[in-house]
Amino acid sequence: MMGRNAKLTLGALALAAATGAVFACQGTGGGGSDAASRVYVPPGEYDEFYAFMSGGFSGNLTVHGLPSGRLLKTVPVFSQFAENGWGYNEETKDMLMTSHGFVPWDDAHHPELSMTDGVPDGRWIFINGNNTPRVARIDLTTFETTEILEIPNSAGNHGSPFITPDSKYLVATTRFSVPVPQADMPISEYRGNFKGMLSFIRADRPGEMDVAFQILVPGYDYDLAHAGKGPSDGWMFFTSYNSEEAHTLLEINASQKDKDFIAAVNFLRAEECVANGTARQMDARYAHNHLNEAHIAESEILESVTVLEPSDCDGLVYFLPTPKSPHGVDVDPTGQYIVAGGKLATVIPVHSFERMQQAIEDEAFEEVVDGIPVLEYEAVIAGEVENPGLGPLHTEFDGRGYAYTTAFISSEIVKWELGTWQVVDRIPVYYSVGHLMIPGGDSAEPWGKYLVALNKITKDRYLPTGPELAHSAQLIDISGDKMRLLLDFPTMGEPHYAQAIPAEIIMDRQLQFFAIEENANPYAVTSEADTRVERDGRNVHVYMTAIRTHFAPDNIEGIQVGDTVYFHVTNLEQDWDVPHGFAVIGANNAELLVMPGQTRTLKWVPQRVGVFPFYCTDFCSALHQEMQGYVRVSPQGSDVPLRWGTGELTQAD
Ligand code: K7E
Ligand code: CUA
C-alpha cells in the first residue's frame, strides 16, 4: 500500500512539475469552508442549471444538474444504447444510417444550444460526430435525438456544430483535408490536391436539416469555429492549423510556421453568391435521418451538394494570421473580439472585428492564397494577452468584461480583462483542462455565475478504477473577483465541450407523455381488443399492448424456429414517467423501453424449440414482477396453430 501511495504522490508531483501547475497556493482541495453549501441541493429541490456534456468517444450527450453535478440523463446520439433500445429497436435503427451503412458509434465533442437573438433558447441542442462526419439535433422537450445529417466532402467533423445567433445555420468543418472529390491517389501528392471544406447547414427547420452550401478551402486542418454576433453577426470564424500542408508527422511538420490562420467567412456574401449562380453542384453521397410524425426513423441518401470557391466569390473568406497552431476560436459577448487559443503560442491573440473591417477596406493584405486575402496581423490584432499559461485552448466569457481561458499544459484557468488584456486571476485545475464552460458563455448574454472546467486527466482525484480513471469536471465559482473551486464530479466518456442554461427555460417545456390518439405507428394498437398476432410468411407481427400490470397478449403459441418475430409494443399509459420495458430470452439486440403513448418494436429470431418468457424490465408498479408472458416456439413446419391472448387463446383465421 505504502509503495502505491508513494507512487501516486510522485506521479502527481511529476505531473505538477511537468505542467508547472501551482499547487502550493491552494493545495488540491476545494475553495473554502462554505464550498459544500454552495453546491448542495437539498433533497427534493432542483438544480439551478441544466448542463449538457459531450460524451466524447461514448458518442452520447449527458445531462447534469448544476451546481450539484448530479447526472440526470444520458441521451444516446451516435451510439446504440442498450438502456432504452436506441439504435437497436426497429424504429430508431435508421437514425444511425450513413453513406457507409449502419455506423453505431461516433466521437461527439461539442454540444451547442439553439439560440434566439444570440441567447440560448432551450429548443434544441446540437452535437457533432467527428469520425463519420455527422451533426445531430436533440429535441429538449423529449431529450431525444430527432435528426442526424451526414456531412459530405468532410473527414473529421471537428469544428462543429457552432450556430449563428438566430439558429439559421450551424457549421461543420473538415479537420482532415482529403481529396475533393475523393480519389485513389498517392498521399504524397497531398499539397494542392487535398482540400478543406467549411459547411453551412440549415438548422432552424426541424426534420429538414440540409447542407445549404459548402466552401472549398486550402488543405489545412480546420479545427473549431464560432459565429459572430452583434456587429459581427453575419460572419463565422474558423481556426485552422497545418497551413504547412503536412501529411505525415504533423507534430513536427505542422508546427513549422509562426502563424496559421483564422478563416473569417462572410456567410451573407455566400448567400448572395449562391443566389447569383456562382456556386456549382457537386455529386456527393450523404445520409439525412429524422424521426417522422409517427416517431419512426426515416433515412434518405442525398446525392448532390452546393459548393462555393472563394476565388469565384470575392469578399467571401479572409485569413487572419494567428499564432500558433490555434485550437479554439471564441467571440466575446459584444461581438467585437475574436479570441484564439494558440496551442503553441506564448500569448492569447485577440482580433478586432472593427479593425478587420478596416483592413479589408484598406486592402491591407499580406498575400492572397487560393483567392483568399491574408490580412496583415498588425492590422487586425486588438491585443495580446501576455503570460496566459501554457497551451491556451478555449475561452468563454462572463458578460462582465472578463474572459476565461484554459491552459492545457499548465493545467489552469486564466481570467483576463477584455480591452486591457491583463490577467487578473488564475486557478489550478486537475488536470490538463480542455474546454471550459460558463452557462451561456459563448452567447451574447452569459449567465456568469459558474464555470465548469472539463479535464482530460484526473490522476489522483478519485478512487482508482483500474487502468482507466474517471474523466472529470470541476465547478468553479466566478461570481466574485477571485475564482473559487467548489466541486469535482466525474463525467461520461471524454467530455470536450459542454453547454448550460437556466433550468426554468427548459423544465416547463417537457413533454410528459405521447398522446395515444396521435400515435401514428402503423403497428400501434390503442386498445387491448385490437391486440393480435399475424403471420406473413416467415415473419410474425405481434401487436402488443402494455399497461400496469400486464401485456396483451401474454401467451403466444404457433411461433416456429426460423421465424422472425416482431414484437410491436404500445404503452397505453397516459401518465408521466410510466415507461414499460420489454425483454425476451435470447434477444440479441436489446430491450425495449417504451414511453407512455409510444410504440417500439423488438426483432427476435428464436433459435430453438421451447416455451420462452418475456417480461417488463422497468419497475413500473407494485405488481411489476407479475408483468410477464410466454411465447411457445415449435419446430419449423409444426401444425401448432398461431394463437394468442390473455387467458383463453384466440386463433388466427
Ligand atoms: Cu478542444 Cu474536440 Cu473542442 Cu476536445 S476539442 S478539448
Ligand atoms: Cu411494466 Cu414493469
Side-chain angles (χ1 to χ4, degrees), residues 580 616 618-620 624 627:
H580 291 288
C616 173
D618 191 321
F619 209 109
C620 49
H624 156 81
M627 197 164 172

Side-chain angles (χ1 to χ4, degrees), residues 268-554:
L268 301 178
R269 179 70 185 133
E271 289 175 345
E272 283 171 13
C273 287
V274 171
N276 68 26
T278 308
R280 65 187 158 104
Q281 288 304 119
M282 210 177 137
D283 290 345
R285 273 180 65 75
Y286 55 108
H288 174 242
N289 315 323
H290 77 287
L291 289 183
N292 68 13
E293 300 284 278
H295 226 64
I296 297 172
E298 272 178 30
S299 180
E300 57 177 336
I301 293 287
L302 303 171
E303 294 186 331
S304 111
V305 68
T306 303
V307 176
L308 276 168
E309 295 199 30
S311 51
D312 298 335
C313 176
D314 65 322
L316 176 63
V317 187
Y318 297 91
F319 278 149
L320 282 49
T322 303
K324 179 181 181 175
S325 299
H327 183 58
V329 56
D330 299 283
V331 180
D332 86 305
T334 71
Q336 265 311 333
Y337 298 119
I338 300 123
V339 180
K343 299 188 289 272
L344 305 176
T346 55
V347 296
I348 300 170
V350 184
H351 297 301
S352 155
F353 180 72
E354 201 178 304
R355 300 198 73 208
M356 183 191 99
Q357 294 287 75
Q358 190 63 47
I360 292 170
E361 200 181 310
D362 299 345
E363 301 194 355
F365 303 154
E366 281 178 7
E367 56 177 325
V368 177
V369 181
D370 291 0
I372 302 172
V374 178
L375 301 175
E376 289 170 10
Y377 181 70
E378 292 302 331
V380 293
I381 196 82
E384 292 176 337
V385 180
E386 307 269 358
N387 194 16
L390 300 175
L393 291 185
H394 296 285
T395 299
E396 295 240 305
F397 307 90
D398 65 7
R400 296 185 297 272
Y402 296 99
Y404 302 76
T405 300
T406 54
F408 177 80
I409 299 172
S410 53
S411 289
E412 59 184 327
I413 308 272
V414 176
K415 177 181 179 181
W416 51 275
E417 190 176 24
L418 289 155
T420 68
W421 324 120
Q422 295 299 307
V423 172
V424 296
D425 192 22
R426 55 206 317 146
I427 189 170
V429 285
Y430 308 98
Y431 305 92
S432 302
V433 59
H435 276 271
L436 78 175
M437 178 272 282
I438 292 170
D442 67 342
S443 78
E445 290 176 24
W447 294 277
K449 181 172 179 183
Y450 300 114
L451 179 157
V452 178
L454 297 148
N455 304 318
K456 301 296 182 195
I457 297 171
T458 51
K459 294 285 181 193
D460 53 358
R461 298 298 286 185
Y462 296 97
L463 287 173
T465 52
E468 199 207 5
L469 304 177
H471 296 276
S472 184
Q474 290 189 293
L475 184 76
I476 293 167
D477 177 359
I478 56 166
S479 60
D481 288 344
K482 287 279 178 200
M483 292 182 276
R484 291 175 56 220
L485 179 59
L486 298 178
L487 179 72
D488 285 17
F489 61 98
T491 56
M492 305 292 282
E494 180 191 4
H496 288 264
Y497 192 35
Q499 294 249 286
I501 187 168
E504 64 264 21
I505 297 178
I506 291 192
M507 56 187 284
D508 294 335
R509 50 202 312 157
Q510 295 312 298
L511 184 78
Q512 299 190 339
F513 52 85
F514 295 97
I516 190 79
E517 64 275 13
E518 290 169 16
N519 186 325
N521 189 304
Y523 297 99
V525 273
T526 53
S527 89
E528 280 187 24
D530 298 328
T531 58
R532 61 194 185 275
V533 181
E534 289 178 359
R535 174 177 287 283
D536 173 14
R538 294 251 62 103
N539 292 330
V540 177
H541 292 276
V542 180
Y543 294 74
M544 181 181 274
T545 58
I547 194 163
R548 282 165 288 181
T549 323
H550 62 277
F551 293 107
D554 68 357

